[in-house]
Amino acid sequence: MEKLVLAADHGGFELKEFIKKIIAGLGGYEILDLGTNSTGSVDYPEYGQRAAETVVSGQAERGIIFCGTGIGISIAANKVKGIRAANCTSELMAEMSRRHNNANILALGGRIVEPELAKKIVKIWLDTPFDGGRHEQRVAQIE
């Protein structure tokens, strides 16, 4: 069973809750929810960093993080060495973030991505493997 960490600020809280139910319905995933647990204002860098540290420590294999746009929380997560967080707004972006970049965190904007599109993005991101090959060298250069 793959462990996934989820984290959001207030702008991503509602989408996180929606996606958490979708993932639970898929089966095969253990979810570690780091919060936030309401729409009360919190600081996205804290949640992005905590999720990223959870992935690099091995407590979760991958993560999905949420803020209003997905931008701020992905920037915060990417400050943690070993993280490749991709802020995705389309199914193609989700697929390519896995195939070519081996993204280990998906970022979504709760005010940008509608729930049904987010559901599709998450399913593609979870199901798409890293292609490896020539992309391994590029991912290594990022590190």
Side-chain angles (χ1 to χ4, degrees):
M1 183 170 290
E2 182 177 359
K3 292 182 183 179
L4 297 174
V5 63
L6 304 184
D9 76 351
H10 54 282
F13 167 72
E14 290 178 358
L15 187 58
K16 174 181 69 83
E17 293 301 302
F18 174 79
I19 292 299
K20 184 165 60 170
K21 290 176 186 168
I22 298 301
I23 294 170
L26 295 174
Y29 297 98
E30 180 181 332
I31 299 169
L32 174 59
D33 185 345
L34 300 181
T36 194
N37 298 309
S38 76
T39 56
S41 184
V42 296
D43 297 326
Y44 64 81
E46 175 186 341
Y47 291 88
Q49 180 179 354
R50 286 176 55 209
E53 289 173 347
T54 301
V55 171
V56 296
S57 72
Q59 295 173 64
E61 283 85 358
R62 293 188 281 173
I64 305 175
I65 55 178
F66 309 80
C67 69
T69 62
I71 297 168
I73 202 163
S74 66
I75 291 170
N78 277 319
K79 294 290 184 181
V80 176
K81 185 171 177 49
I83 292 301
R84 292 172 305 283
N87 185 20
C88 298
T89 58
S90 74
E91 295 168 70
L92 179 61
M93 290 175 75
E95 178 184 353
M96 299 313 287
S97 77
R98 290 289 305 138
R99 286 201 187 285
H100 289 188
N101 308 117
N102 200 16
N104 51 12
I105 291 185
L106 170 64
L108 294 169
R111 297 178 183 140
I112 303 296
V113 181
E114 294 296 323
E116 286 305 311
L117 176 57
K119 177 179 168 180
K120 292 175 186 174
I121 288 170
V122 166
K123 285 183 177 180
I124 288 168
W125 191 80
L126 290 173
D127 292 342
T128 302
F130 177 48
D131 282 348
R134 71 183 192 276
H135 304 292
E136 288 179 21
Q137 175 185 342
R138 296 169 184 156
V139 170
Q141 288 175 349
I142 292 169
E143 293 300 317

